[in-house]
Amino acid sequence: MDDFAFENDKVAFRVYGPALTDSAENNGTDCWLKRVDYPIVDKWYEGHEQGISYHEDHGEGYDPYHVGTSLGCGSIALWDTEAKTTDKLIQPNVYTDYTIIEKSADKVVFELTYHYNTKNINETKRITLEKGNQFYKAKSQFSQNGRTVNRNSTR
């Protein structure tokens, strides 16, 4: 659909976009494992359109993870201590907007915007993935009712 995928020479990730607003997916982060140091995301998506599953390893790696409604491998959710239910975890839906800040052979930096409808909270998540790393850095800034919350969550 309109996933936002990003990768380096070690690993690839994706998050789900507005086209999946009404699906089970939400803000979970999917991780694709690579055996090669060259870009694979576009190739795997093209293969998927031709019936070649990226959930099976064809020599370059694969997507072994089923995110579904989970947080996946690196997303964030809020805990509502005032919730009247036993499930106090609040997740936003898929990202609503993105901005690419930097894209080079050595690093990608971009921001994703999420909206937590139940509390009128917005999250702007800045993600940085550098060449040679298997992990990305994410820094989230929250606002509620248009006012910035002065606490940052860094993973």
Side-chain angles (χ1 to χ4, degrees), residues 32-36 38 40 44 52-64:
W32 294 5
L33 308 179
K34 293 172 61 171
R35 292 179 182 251
V36 296
Y38 53 82
I40 50 83
W44 288 6
I52 302 169
S53 176
Y54 48 72
H55 292 284
E56 297 174 27
D57 190 347
H58 300 283
E60 295 176 314
Y62 73 121
D63 172 9

Short mmCIF file of all heavy atoms in Angstrom, two decimals, residues 32-36 38 40 44 52-64:
data_model
loop_
_atom_site.label_atom_id
_atom_site.label_comp_id
_atom_site.label_asym_id
_atom_site.label_seq_id
_atom_site.Cartn_x
_atom_site.Cartn_y
_atom_site.Cartn_z
N TRP A 32 12.97 -6.30 8.42
CA TRP A 32 13.33 -7.24 7.37
C TRP A 32 14.81 -7.56 7.51
O TRP A 32 15.65 -6.66 7.55
CB TRP A 32 13.07 -6.65 5.99
CG TRP A 32 11.62 -6.41 5.69
CD1 TRP A 32 10.56 -6.58 6.52
CD2 TRP A 32 11.10 -5.95 4.45
NE1 TRP A 32 9.40 -6.24 5.86
CE2 TRP A 32 9.70 -5.86 4.59
CE3 TRP A 32 11.67 -5.61 3.23
CZ2 TRP A 32 8.87 -5.44 3.56
CZ3 TRP A 32 10.85 -5.19 2.21
CH2 TRP A 32 9.46 -5.12 2.37
N LEU A 33 15.14 -8.82 7.61
CA LEU A 33 16.52 -9.25 7.80
C LEU A 33 17.21 -9.44 6.46
O LEU A 33 16.67 -10.08 5.56
CB LEU A 33 16.56 -10.55 8.60
CG LEU A 33 15.76 -10.52 9.91
CD1 LEU A 33 15.84 -11.87 10.61
CD2 LEU A 33 16.22 -9.40 10.81
N LYS A 34 18.41 -8.87 6.33
CA LYS A 34 19.14 -8.92 5.06
C LYS A 34 20.38 -9.79 5.19
O LYS A 34 21.05 -9.77 6.21
CB LYS A 34 19.56 -7.50 4.65
CG LYS A 34 18.40 -6.59 4.30
CD LYS A 34 18.82 -5.15 4.08
CE LYS A 34 19.79 -4.96 2.95
NZ LYS A 34 20.01 -3.55 2.62
N ARG A 35 20.70 -10.50 4.11
CA ARG A 35 21.96 -11.25 4.00
C ARG A 35 22.94 -10.54 3.08
O ARG A 35 24.06 -10.99 2.92
CB ARG A 35 21.69 -12.64 3.43
CG ARG A 35 20.92 -13.55 4.32
CD ARG A 35 20.71 -14.88 3.59
NE ARG A 35 19.93 -15.79 4.37
CZ ARG A 35 20.43 -16.87 4.94
NH1 ARG A 35 21.69 -17.17 4.80
NH2 ARG A 35 19.64 -17.65 5.66
N VAL A 36 22.49 -9.46 2.45
CA VAL A 36 23.29 -8.74 1.46
C VAL A 36 23.45 -7.29 1.89
O VAL A 36 22.67 -6.79 2.70
CB VAL A 36 22.63 -8.82 0.07
CG1 VAL A 36 22.59 -10.27 -0.43
CG2 VAL A 36 21.22 -8.25 0.10
N TYR A 38 23.41 -4.67 -0.27
CA TYR A 38 22.82 -3.76 -1.25
C TYR A 38 21.33 -3.59 -0.98
O TYR A 38 20.72 -4.38 -0.26
CB TYR A 38 23.08 -4.27 -2.68
CG TYR A 38 22.66 -5.70 -2.95
CD1 TYR A 38 21.34 -6.03 -3.25
CD2 TYR A 38 23.61 -6.72 -2.95
CE1 TYR A 38 20.97 -7.33 -3.51
CE2 TYR A 38 23.24 -8.04 -3.20
CZ TYR A 38 21.92 -8.33 -3.49
OH TYR A 38 21.56 -9.63 -3.75
N ILE A 40 17.41 -3.79 -1.03
CA ILE A 40 16.50 -4.89 -1.41
C ILE A 40 15.02 -4.51 -1.37
O ILE A 40 14.20 -5.22 -1.92
CB ILE A 40 16.74 -6.14 -0.53
CG1 ILE A 40 16.74 -5.82 0.97
CG2 ILE A 40 18.06 -6.80 -0.89
CD1 ILE A 40 15.40 -5.73 1.60
N TRP A 44 12.18 -6.45 -3.42
CA TRP A 44 11.27 -7.36 -2.74
C TRP A 44 9.82 -6.97 -2.95
O TRP A 44 8.96 -7.82 -3.10
CB TRP A 44 11.59 -7.44 -1.26
CG TRP A 44 12.87 -8.19 -0.95
CD1 TRP A 44 13.79 -8.68 -1.84
CD2 TRP A 44 13.37 -8.52 0.33
NE1 TRP A 44 14.82 -9.27 -1.19
CE2 TRP A 44 14.60 -9.20 0.15
CE3 TRP A 44 12.93 -8.29 1.61
CZ2 TRP A 44 15.36 -9.66 1.21
CZ3 TRP A 44 13.68 -8.75 2.68
CH2 TRP A 44 14.88 -9.43 2.48
N ILE A 52 6.20 -13.45 -5.59
CA ILE A 52 7.37 -13.95 -4.86
C ILE A 52 7.31 -13.37 -3.44
O ILE A 52 7.42 -12.16 -3.26
CB ILE A 52 8.68 -13.53 -5.56
CG1 ILE A 52 8.71 -14.05 -6.99
CG2 ILE A 52 9.89 -14.03 -4.77
CD1 ILE A 52 9.83 -13.47 -7.84
N SER A 53 7.16 -14.22 -2.47
CA SER A 53 6.98 -13.78 -1.09
C SER A 53 8.29 -13.31 -0.47
O SER A 53 9.30 -14.01 -0.54
CB SER A 53 6.41 -14.91 -0.24
OG SER A 53 6.33 -14.51 1.12
N TYR A 54 8.26 -12.14 0.15
CA TYR A 54 9.43 -11.69 0.91
C TYR A 54 9.40 -12.26 2.33
O TYR A 54 10.27 -11.96 3.14
CB TYR A 54 9.57 -10.16 0.92
CG TYR A 54 8.32 -9.38 1.25
CD1 TYR A 54 7.80 -9.34 2.53
CD2 TYR A 54 7.68 -8.64 0.26
CE1 TYR A 54 6.67 -8.62 2.83
CE2 TYR A 54 6.53 -7.90 0.56
CZ TYR A 54 6.04 -7.90 1.84
OH TYR A 54 4.92 -7.18 2.14
N HIS A 55 8.41 -13.10 2.62
CA HIS A 55 8.37 -13.80 3.89
C HIS A 55 9.13 -15.13 3.82
O HIS A 55 9.18 -15.87 4.79
CB HIS A 55 6.92 -14.05 4.33
CG HIS A 55 6.19 -12.79 4.67
ND1 HIS A 55 6.40 -12.12 5.85
CD2 HIS A 55 5.29 -12.07 3.98
CE1 HIS A 55 5.64 -11.04 5.87
NE2 HIS A 55 4.96 -10.98 4.75
N GLU A 56 9.70 -15.42 2.66
CA GLU A 56 10.55 -16.60 2.47
C GLU A 56 11.92 -16.12 2.02
O GLU A 56 12.03 -15.19 1.23
CB GLU A 56 9.96 -17.51 1.39
CG GLU A 56 8.61 -18.08 1.74
CD GLU A 56 8.01 -18.87 0.58
OE1 GLU A 56 8.79 -19.40 -0.25
OE2 GLU A 56 6.77 -18.92 0.49
N ASP A 57 12.96 -16.77 2.52
CA ASP A 57 14.33 -16.39 2.17
C ASP A 57 14.70 -17.01 0.81
O ASP A 57 14.71 -18.22 0.66
CB ASP A 57 15.30 -16.87 3.25
CG ASP A 57 16.70 -16.32 3.08
OD1 ASP A 57 17.01 -15.77 1.99
OD2 ASP A 57 17.48 -16.43 4.03
N HIS A 58 14.98 -16.14 -0.15
CA HIS A 58 15.40 -16.57 -1.48
C HIS A 58 16.88 -16.29 -1.68
O HIS A 58 17.35 -16.17 -2.81
CB HIS A 58 14.57 -15.85 -2.55
CG HIS A 58 13.10 -16.11 -2.43
ND1 HIS A 58 12.50 -17.29 -2.83
CD2 HIS A 58 12.11 -15.35 -1.91
CE1 HIS A 58 11.21 -17.24 -2.57
NE2 HIS A 58 10.95 -16.07 -2.01
N GLY A 59 17.64 -16.15 -0.58
CA GLY A 59 19.08 -15.94 -0.64
C GLY A 59 19.54 -14.56 -0.21
O GLY A 59 20.71 -14.38 0.13
N GLU A 60 18.62 -13.57 -0.19
CA GLU A 60 19.01 -12.21 0.19
C GLU A 60 18.55 -11.85 1.61
O GLU A 60 18.95 -10.83 2.15
CB GLU A 60 18.40 -11.19 -0.77
CG GLU A 60 18.93 -11.30 -2.18
CD GLU A 60 18.22 -10.34 -3.12
OE1 GLU A 60 16.98 -10.28 -3.08
OE2 GLU A 60 18.92 -9.67 -3.89
N GLY A 61 17.71 -12.70 2.20
CA GLY A 61 17.12 -12.43 3.50
C GLY A 61 15.61 -12.52 3.37
O GLY A 61 15.09 -12.96 2.35
N TYR A 62 14.89 -12.06 4.40
CA TYR A 62 13.44 -12.15 4.34
C TYR A 62 12.80 -11.37 5.48
O TYR A 62 13.48 -10.85 6.37
CB TYR A 62 12.97 -13.60 4.35
CG TYR A 62 13.11 -14.32 5.68
CD1 TYR A 62 12.00 -14.85 6.30
CD2 TYR A 62 14.34 -14.48 6.29
CE1 TYR A 62 12.10 -15.53 7.51
CE2 TYR A 62 14.46 -15.16 7.50
CZ TYR A 62 13.34 -15.68 8.10
OH TYR A 62 13.46 -16.34 9.30
N ASP A 63 11.48 -11.31 5.45
CA ASP A 63 10.70 -10.66 6.49
C ASP A 63 10.09 -11.77 7.36
O ASP A 63 9.07 -12.33 7.00
CB ASP A 63 9.60 -9.80 5.86
CG ASP A 63 8.61 -9.24 6.88
OD1 ASP A 63 8.87 -9.37 8.09
OD2 ASP A 63 7.60 -8.68 6.46
N PRO A 64 10.73 -12.09 8.50
CA PRO A 64 10.23 -13.19 9.32
C PRO A 64 9.19 -12.76 10.34
O PRO A 64 8.60 -13.59 11.02
CB PRO A 64 11.50 -13.66 10.06
CG PRO A 64 12.26 -12.39 10.25
CD PRO A 64 12.02 -11.58 8.99
#
